[in-house]
Amino acid sequence: MPFGRRRVVGVVVEGRDQTEVPANKLRAAFEVVDTEPTFSPDLLALLTWAAEYYRHPVGEVLTSAMPVLLRSGAPIREEQILWRLTALGREEALAKLPARSIRLRAIADYLSKNEHAPASEILGATESPLSALRNLEERGFVEQFAREQTDEIPPVSVMREGPPLNEAQAAAVERIQKTLGTFASHLLYGVTGSGKTEVYLQVIESVLARGQQVLVLVPEIALTPQLIGRFRGRFDAPLAVLHSGLNDTERLAAWRDAREGTARIVIGTRSAIFTPLLHPGLIIIDEEHDASFKQQDGFRYSARDLALVRAQRLGIPVVLGSATPSLETLARARKQPETLSHLPYRAGSAKPPQVALVDLRKHGVTQGIATPTVMTIQRHLDAGGQVMLFINRRGYAPVLFCPNCGWSAHCRRCDAHLTVHARGRDLICHHCGSQENLPNECPTCFADVKPVGQGTERIEEALQQLFTAPMARIDRDSMRRKGELEETLARVNRGEIRILVGTQMLTKGHDFPKVTLVVVLNADQGLFSTDFRAPERLAQTIVQVAGRAGRADRPGEVLIQTEYPEHPLLTLLLTGGYAAFADGALTEREQSGWPPFARIALLRAEATDQQAPLKFLQDAHDLAVDFPVRGVKLLGPAPAPMERRAGRFRAQLLIRAPSHSPLQKFLGGWLPLLPMLPEARRVRWSIDVDAAELS
Ligand code: ADP
Ligand code: ZN
Ligand code: ZN
């Protein structure tokens, strides 16, 4: 379409025969790119619903669901040009072509064995130039033609058998299978290693047998070759994997395969929830508690929540799987016990790990590792086991400090300390990426400065001084190169690496069958956060990390280092596991009126000026008086927990409502007026419906 002086690509969402717009204001389209709709009616309805729900411009919502090539005007289908022998070519080519025309004969030979093929394939296989193909065309031996699209769905043939299911798995499979063809939201609640993936695979088999497709969503860093291998190893069915390594053409091809029903299993991360499916039969969200399912900027949707909406509209079941379900999902499952499947034991012969706390106040600690921890590591190494240490902080040390005057290195653009990196050579801000050279001395008193606290690099250094066993570090800094993570994981699984230290990256999707000891080095970050979701996230991380110990036939052991061994969160986790923690946390949320017993939205504002965001939010707050909706409360405005980030001051206003509909009703009346506030042009603002992070 013409748009001012530009040409833009748009999506038609509605047609009209009549209009009040004067004829001279109407423009004709330059071109209709596709002859078929980009989105099926159900997907279009989901997207417009999401735009309304998340209060985000519908145009941006639609484009975010389109592969990049479509956004820039490429057609959905490129006609595929193929080459084949003509009748004349079949009869005469090989007989009449002179023996010295090696290339021409090779092409004719290739096409006599392969009915048809694209030029690139023919020229590659015969190592010929395009001119050879043209030469044959001039002789009337070969011709090109456009491949017709078939709507036939290739049958899915062989599926390899999995292990016989245990009782809990079989019950879960049956419960889910019974709901195929209708909407149901299942929670598959099973400890790590309890065989959730086996349950998915069995249910997928039934869905494929019904001629339908399955959409599987996984967290961002869990989309590993290991997982894909497991799917490929089980089904001889076309698989579309939507991962970040695809180029634009490959992405469009995968999207089209899903849309045309050719791909029977579609696996992807968050944005794959918008993949079109011709015959949808089931949606699976693995590790449903994972934060990466919520987009944190722009169109701030939750792929998990949209999966429920999509499944409901399609009349198909959705399965949410986790060892540590979100409190939202747990609360829903409690109301519908028939949708809860519990896998309480590890599959096969693996036993649950022994978990113990190490009191950091009582024991000697060297570089963040307590003496009993050192002894336990040694014991496991001596017994031939593998050891994994988890610390939620990359770099060498979180603070650079002057013991003489109390100075510490701060980011110039953020309210945050700079992290010491590269064994003390660089200072990097983890919030804005700013980098500085490490000073040799304190800039105020010229005394020697000291790194304080530990990150993965420093733990690795300490371990190298304590143990001689081969070790590896897994975090974003050490695993930059493509394939490096896979390589390291393979070395771990071959037993070449005995000690593994890393961040969150260790916790997701990877199978470490030989790890017998897991150490959580610092459980205390998060125990005292102001965010009401912090305890939930901490409990999930601890349980997920602990679940990596002793998966095969060796019993596992878990040590959690803490300065607060009597903290109720830790004692509950230790005595009753995640379920006991979740019980307590849900009661607390209910009493204090937080989600899932309420709905929230967060209005954020930021500017280079410190006062403007607060002023804007205060005006927005005052304006809300004109839109009273029962039960809706505004909390704030207040500066964000980290007020300055990347040179901008940030503030927020929280909206809380007893349920979804009053919240939507309030936002519908109030938000459209915010652009008219005088401060609105001086700040950047955004609304986050069902905000996951209060920062
Ligand atoms: P989860 O997805 O819950 O972490 P998996 O499905 O990956 O669990 O299972 C953990 C391990 O146990 C895998 O190696 C899997 O092959 C094996 N396993 C799963 N179910 C069974 C079963 N019924 N019998 C034997 N082994 C099983
Ligand atoms: Zn100093
Ligand atoms: Zn910074």
Side-chain angles (χ1 to χ4, degrees), residues 91-386:
E91 275 166 29
E92 298 187 352
L94 285 169
K96 293 223 168 136
L97 285 168
R100 65 191 148 75
S101 304
I102 300 169
R103 294 234 165 82
L104 301 189
R105 293 184 66 89
I107 294 175
D109 184 52
Y110 187 80
L111 285 175
S112 67
K113 287 174 186 148
N114 300 280
E115 197 181 330
H116 48 65
S120 57
E121 179 187 322
I122 301 169
L123 303 179
T126 60
E127 297 181 11
S128 313
L130 182 64
S131 56
L133 202 54
R134 293 276 178 218
N135 184 325
L136 285 171
E137 188 183 24
E138 277 159 29
R139 291 170 190 246
F141 290 154
V142 302
E143 63 185 359
Q144 41 179 315
F145 69 104
R147 146 116 75 189
E148 282 164 33
Q149 295 291 339
T150 61
D151 283 333
E152 262 170 57
I153 296 184
V156 195
S157 48
V158 195
M159 304 178 200
R160 278 166 289 278
E161 295 261 318
L165 297 183
N166 62 37
E167 217 170 292
Q169 284 174 314
V173 169
E174 198 193 319
R175 195 168 291 142
I176 300 166
Q177 270 172 346
K178 260 199 289 193
T179 62
L180 292 180
T182 55
F183 170 68
S185 78
H186 295 274
L187 169 57
L188 185 58
Y189 182 6
V191 298
T192 313
S194 60
K196 294 184 293 298
T197 312
E198 277 306 322
V199 171
Y200 302 150
L201 293 172
Q202 287 278 340
V203 179
I204 289 173
E205 197 175 315
S206 319
V207 179
L208 295 180
R210 293 163 60 100
Q212 294 177 315
Q213 295 166 283
V214 182
L215 176 63
V216 184
L217 299 192
V218 298
E220 252 148 39
I221 55 183
L223 195 51
T224 58
Q226 253 176 23
L227 179 78
I228 313 286
R230 231 166 132 186
F231 277 82
R232 284 207 205 284
R234 199 61 162 275
F235 303 109
D236 275 338
L239 200 73
V241 184
L242 297 152
H243 59 84
S244 55
L246 296 182
N247 66 31
D248 291 346
T249 319
E250 291 165 334
R251 185 167 295 274
L252 177 59
W255 184 87
R256 195 168 41 213
D257 285 350
R259 180 177 186 273
E260 291 172 357
T262 334
R264 304 298 302 279
I265 304 173
V266 179
I267 307 183
T269 50
R270 179 177 61 228
S271 63
I273 187 58
F274 301 120
T275 314
L277 300 164
L278 187 64
H279 296 300
L282 174 71
I283 304 176
I284 294 171
I285 316 277
D286 190 29
E287 310 285 0
E288 66 86 29
H289 63 278
D290 195 88
S292 74
F293 288 124
K294 177 80 160 71
Q295 173 132 324
Q296 301 290 6
D297 52 16
F299 173 31
R300 295 173 167 79
Y301 65 95
S302 156
R304 179 195 64 208
D305 295 350
L306 284 181
L308 290 169
V309 178
R310 191 170 181 192
Q312 186 159 29
R313 289 168 163 266
L314 290 169
I316 62 172
V318 52
V319 178
L320 309 176
S322 177
T324 53
S326 63
L327 296 182
E328 275 81 1
T329 299
L330 266 182
R332 193 170 342 95
R334 288 192 177 174
K335 281 194 240 154
Q336 307 160 335
E338 72 284 0
T339 63
L340 172 64
S341 296
H342 207 202
L343 305 181
Y345 309 110
R346 293 187 170 194
S349 54
K351 301 263 171 315
Q354 290 279 331
V355 188
L357 298 179
V358 177
D359 189 341
L360 287 171
R361 298 164 312 181
K362 278 206 197 131
H363 301 285
V365 178
T366 20
Q367 301 290 25
I369 311 173
T371 313
T373 307
V374 175
M375 285 156 56
T376 313
I377 294 175
Q378 191 60 57
R379 178 158 54 76
H380 279 260
L381 291 176
D382 291 344
Q386 256 175 348

Side-chain angles (χ1 to χ4, degrees), residues 401-407 441-449:
F401 177 73
C402 170
N404 187 42
C405 75
W407 171 88
E441 56 200 13
C442 172
T444 44
C445 78
F446 309 105
D448 284 345
V449 287

Side-chain angles (χ1 to χ4, degrees), residues 352-431:
Q354 290 279 331
V355 188
L357 298 179
V358 177
D359 189 341
L360 287 171
R361 298 164 312 181
K362 278 206 197 131
H363 301 285
V365 178
T366 20
Q367 301 290 25
I369 311 173
T371 313
T373 307
V374 175
M375 285 156 56
T376 313
I377 294 175
Q378 191 60 57
R379 178 158 54 76
H380 279 260
L381 291 176
D382 291 344
Q386 256 175 348
V387 178
M388 188 165 115
L389 296 100
F390 169 81
I391 180 162
N392 209 0
R393 205 191 271 138
R394 63 199 172 86
Y396 187 78
V399 180
L400 185 69
F401 177 73
C402 170
N404 187 42
C405 75
W407 171 88
S408 58
H410 279 266
C411 177
R412 285 175 225 274
R413 307 171 65 216
C414 306
D415 294 331
H417 280 115
L418 291 166
T419 302
V420 184
H421 269 260
R423 304 239 156 137
R425 279 196 297 275
D426 291 324
L427 283 172
I428 300 175
C429 174
H430 282 191
H431 304 281

Side-chain angles (χ1 to χ4, degrees), residues 327 334 580-593 597:
L327 296 182
R334 288 192 177 174
F581 158 79
D583 274 341
L586 275 171
T587 309
E588 230 169 77
R589 295 260 190 105
E590 184 159 26
Q591 284 164 355
S592 51
F597 304 96

